[in-house]
Amino acid sequence: MRATDLSELAAFDAVARHRSFRRAGEERGVTASAISHAVSSLEARLEIRLLNRTTRSVSLTDAGAMLMARLSPAYADIASALDSLNQFRDTPFGKVRINVPSSIASFVVGPVLKPLLANNPNLQLEIVATDRLVDIVEEGFDAGIRLGESLRDGMTAVKIKTRLRFAVVGSPSYFKTRSIPKSPHDLRHHACIQNLYPSGARYAWSFAKGGKEVEFLPTGPLSLDDHALMRQAALDGLGLAYLWENYAIRAISEGQLVRVLDAWCPPEDWLYLYYPARKYLSAGLRAVITALRA
């Protein structure tokens, strides 16, 4: 098989996984047009269409899906074979792509970046922070970070250092005209900032105490999907915010925010770094795991 054949197959594999010529090009370090040309050349040579293309989407034809099903295990074996060579390296080498929720990235991954890169000068670390639910295999990540309750099957999971808690906070000015809630049921008498998923769906405030669990779905006039904005809204007296306590701890200690229902906010499930179960790990990913491991 010619080298050009392998290059075209690799281009097709990247597009099939990402459903995007742009993201496939970013993964392979070439332009989207170069990827498109490689796939078109492959289709012309095979005399069969592998992809359906529109201005907004890319999908696999039946033939493309069959080819992808056969290629994926082969590329996984090749990647595993190359990763196995890292056991002969003295130091981690190459790129590692990690997906992490943007709401926790700054205090989960942020503190380890400087020592991790200082101790591993040949490591190229790419962190993509988004609260969108990501398929790390389809989008070309080496690993992701999630709460244990949201892990997929078929993944190896490593418990990492930080265990997070939520906090319900409001400003002193807000509480000048409002009573302090004693239980989650009291929240229905308060202006509560609604928390949004990236999809636009609202998520409930979850509480637990003494074996009793309560969920509360806010109906206030303000809805936000960013914890820093929630904190600012609470500081401005616009209502109560339910956010990761890391965003509020300094303001609480300085008296700018008042924390309520603390006893109803136990630690969340452990955070895990997870990755596809496979025999070999790259030395770079092993270094990341070591830096984050609990």
Side-chain angles (χ1 to χ4, degrees):
M1 180 175 285
R2 300 172 303 174
T4 53
D5 297 342
L6 291 173
S7 178
E8 291 167 358
L9 286 170
F12 165 75
D13 174 73
V15 176
R17 283 185 288 104
H18 291 292
R19 300 296 196 273
S20 166
F21 286 94
R22 179 184 60 80
R23 292 209 300 266
E26 290 173 352
E27 177 184 299
R28 296 195 53 76
V30 297
T31 64
S33 60
I35 292 289
S36 178
H37 177 74
V39 173
S40 295
S41 296
L42 178 63
E43 291 176 321
R45 188 159 47 77
L46 296 176
E47 298 184 351
I48 192 167
R49 180 173 291 278
L50 301 172
L51 298 172
N52 293 315
R53 307 162 175 83
T54 70
T55 56
R56 293 188 176 183
S57 66
V58 177
S59 62
L60 293 169
T61 64
D62 289 344
M66 185 180 70
L67 179 60
M68 178 64 179
R70 298 294 297 273
L71 283 179
S72 292
Y75 276 111
D77 286 344
I78 292 171
S80 178
L82 293 174
D83 284 345
S84 69
L85 296 177
N86 284 308
Q87 64 185 300
F88 298 104
R89 297 186 188 278
D90 294 328
T91 58
F93 180 89
K95 180 188 287 187
V96 177
R97 298 187 75 230
I98 305 293
N99 170 252
V100 59
S102 56
S103 59
I104 64 173
S106 62
F107 47 84
V108 172
V109 177
V112 307
L113 294 181
K114 184 175 180 179
L116 182 59
L117 293 176
N119 294 330
N120 302 284
N122 293 320
L123 180 65
Q124 294 177 304
L125 195 58
E126 185 175 304
I127 307 292
V128 177
T130 175
D131 283 326
R132 177 175 58 86
L133 193 59
V134 169
D135 184 325
I136 61 170
V137 175
E138 182 177 322
E139 300 197 22
F141 289 99
D142 295 289
I145 293 175
R146 285 285 184 274
L147 289 170
E149 61 192 21
S150 60
L151 293 178
R152 288 176 45 195
D153 292 336
M155 295 287 170
T156 298
V158 178
K159 188 184 294 183
I160 64 176
K161 293 176 183 176
T162 307
R163 194 170 185 189
L164 306 177
R165 293 180 70 205
F166 277 100
V168 180
V169 294
S171 69
S173 64
Y174 174 86
F175 285 113
K176 284 182 179 179
T177 57
R178 306 270 187 162
S179 61
I180 298 290
K182 303 300 183 183
S183 80
H185 300 291
D186 296 334
L187 293 172
R188 66 183 183 274
H189 303 302
H190 287 266
C192 297
I193 299 164
Q194 297 184 58
N195 302 56
L196 296 177
Y197 289 108
S199 65
R202 295 181 298 158
Y203 65 87
W205 298 11
S206 297
F207 301 97
K209 181 182 178 183
K212 183 178 181 180
E213 297 183 358
V214 177
E215 285 201 344
F216 171 73
L217 193 62
T219 57
L222 181 61
S223 303
L224 300 170
D225 72 346
D226 180 85
H227 283 243
L229 281 175
M230 294 175 200
R231 176 187 58 200
Q232 188 58 53
L235 287 167
D236 291 340
L238 299 179
L240 299 183
Y242 177 81
L243 70 170
W244 294 119
E245 68 175 358
N246 300 66
Y247 284 96
I249 200 71
R250 181 173 178 179
I252 293 170
S253 67
E254 294 176 352
Q256 296 175 305
L257 287 174
V258 177
R259 183 171 191 165
V260 299
L261 301 176
D262 188 25
W264 283 90
C265 297
E268 293 294 302
D269 194 1
W270 283 93
L271 278 172
Y272 290 84
L273 183 143
Y274 69 102
Y275 52 89
R278 56 195 183 200
K279 186 175 181 180
Y280 296 106
L281 292 179
S282 70
L285 182 54
R286 286 201 302 270
V288 173
I289 291 172
T290 298
L292 291 170
R293 187 191 296 272

